[in-house]
Amino acid sequence: MGELIRRAGALVRTTAREVAQRSSPAASTEQVSFDSQLLTWADLPRATHRAARRAGPVVAESVRSDGRHRTDGGHAVEVAIGWRLHEDGVVIVEASRPVRPAAGDRVVPAGPWQHRWARHAEASGAVHRRRGVVTVADELDRPGRRPARPGPTHHADAAEAWRYLPAEVRTAAEALIPDPVVWLGGLEQTSTRDGKPSGQAVRCLLVSQTRALTVIATRSLPSTVTGSLDHLRGQMARAPWIVEQVGFDLAAAPTWPDGSAVVRLESS
């Protein structure tokens, strides 16, 4: 992918690719279980949309629940964190909704999403973009360690999703933001009505004291690819990623809490 944003002591364009050859190979999605509900910005309450409003066009976005349930005011709640990268800045939001026990050790929603907070950071200068197709099949055949995890490892969803990106992509992003104070992301899969995989996406946001970067990787299977569920899972795992990196420098250091605070409840 090469360099996305130039800075003092700039990386040469070949650095990411050269280092990637020595990096840990990407993990395979073939055995991943995709059983959680996908959330979108449309699921968030109107108060969150109002608090997150910005003038610049939306470049990328994502909303995720980490699947854990917390106690807030004596009640069990589910927490969702959403982010949007605009051309003029980045915003992170948090919402929560009450949950209750259900049959089979399940937990189900017991009320609507409620807005908790929204925090903004302003862009400085131009938006930088890089887009390309990156293969991953050759990495799945190469032995190696688990892919490296940049930043706070308690960002469980982002750390897990990061594993499935090609080494070249991870290396380029980690070179640009080696010390994220915010690191959010996840791996998603869409399926056909009969449960067969049709597409996958990794959406990650990394924010440091000086810049913000999104890494969006998507891939899909052609309609001509048929076969059993296991065969399609294997074909999907080896499909190339279409990767887009979008980022910019920040006008000032963000005032968000550190990474651990982003993934736990705060006082409203």
Side-chain angles (χ1 to χ4, degrees):
M1 296 292 292
E3 186 186 26
L4 176 64
I5 305 174
R6 294 189 178 277
R7 56 178 172 176
L11 303 167
V12 297
R13 293 177 64 86
T14 56
T15 297
R17 184 180 297 276
E18 290 173 353
V19 175
Q21 298 303 315
R22 303 189 297 272
S23 299
S24 301
S28 172
T29 62
E30 189 168 359
Q31 301 301 320
V32 175
S33 176
F34 295 92
D35 53 7
S36 60
Q37 179 185 3
L38 292 179
L39 296 176
T40 70
W41 270 79
D43 296 309
L44 298 178
R46 291 182 179 179
T48 298
H49 284 255
R50 290 193 298 269
R53 191 171 296 150
R54 297 189 62 87
V58 177
V59 176
E61 65 182 33
S62 181
V63 179
R64 289 191 66 83
S65 166
D66 64 11
R68 295 193 295 268
H69 301 104
R70 301 165 173 81
T71 300
D72 184 27
H75 302 283
V77 298
E78 177 185 10
V79 177
I81 295 180
W83 57 264
R84 269 181 170 170
L85 190 86
H86 296 250
E87 289 188 354
D88 62 349
V90 61
V91 58
I92 295 178
V93 302
E94 184 176 277
S96 64
R97 64 181 175 184
V99 294
R100 60 176 176 80
D105 295 326
R106 296 183 302 116
V107 175
V108 298
W113 290 104
Q114 300 292 325
H115 175 67
R116 292 190 59 83
W117 52 259
R119 303 193 181 186
H120 297 249
E122 304 300 320
S124 173
V127 176
H128 298 259
R129 303 172 187 259
R130 184 172 292 277
R131 190 174 189 269
V133 178
V134 186
T135 60
V136 72
D138 57 336
E139 293 187 38
L140 305 184
D141 298 326
R142 179 162 56 91
R145 299 172 289 106
R146 282 175 70 100
R149 296 180 175 186
T153 56
H154 45 253
H155 289 176
D157 279 358
E160 179 64 19
W162 203 249
R163 300 177 55 221
Y164 302 101
L165 292 173
E168 180 181 347
V169 175
R170 288 180 275 119
T171 299
E174 291 167 28
L176 289 167
I177 302 188
D179 53 349
V181 295
V182 172
W183 184 32
L184 302 170
L187 170 68
E188 306 166 359
Q189 179 171 280
T190 54
S191 302
T192 61
R193 290 184 177 180
D194 55 358
K196 294 181 178 179
S198 58
Q200 291 180 343
V202 173
R203 308 178 194 276
C204 289
L205 170 71
L206 299 92
V207 183
S208 71
Q209 296 293 338
T210 59
R211 62 181 46 155
L213 173 72
T214 62
V215 179
I216 308 296
T218 59
R219 62 185 178 186
S220 59
L221 288 179
S223 57
T224 54
V225 178
T226 60
S228 67
L229 178 59
D230 287 343
H231 174 73
L232 293 177
R233 284 175 175 169
Q235 292 297 303
M236 179 68 77
R238 303 178 72 83
W241 291 101
I242 300 174
V243 182
E244 184 170 22
Q245 291 183 338
V246 183
F248 43 68
D249 291 332
L250 298 177
T255 58
W256 302 321
D258 63 19
S260 60
V262 172
V263 294
R264 69 167 183 258
L265 281 175
E266 297 182 335
S267 299
S268 299

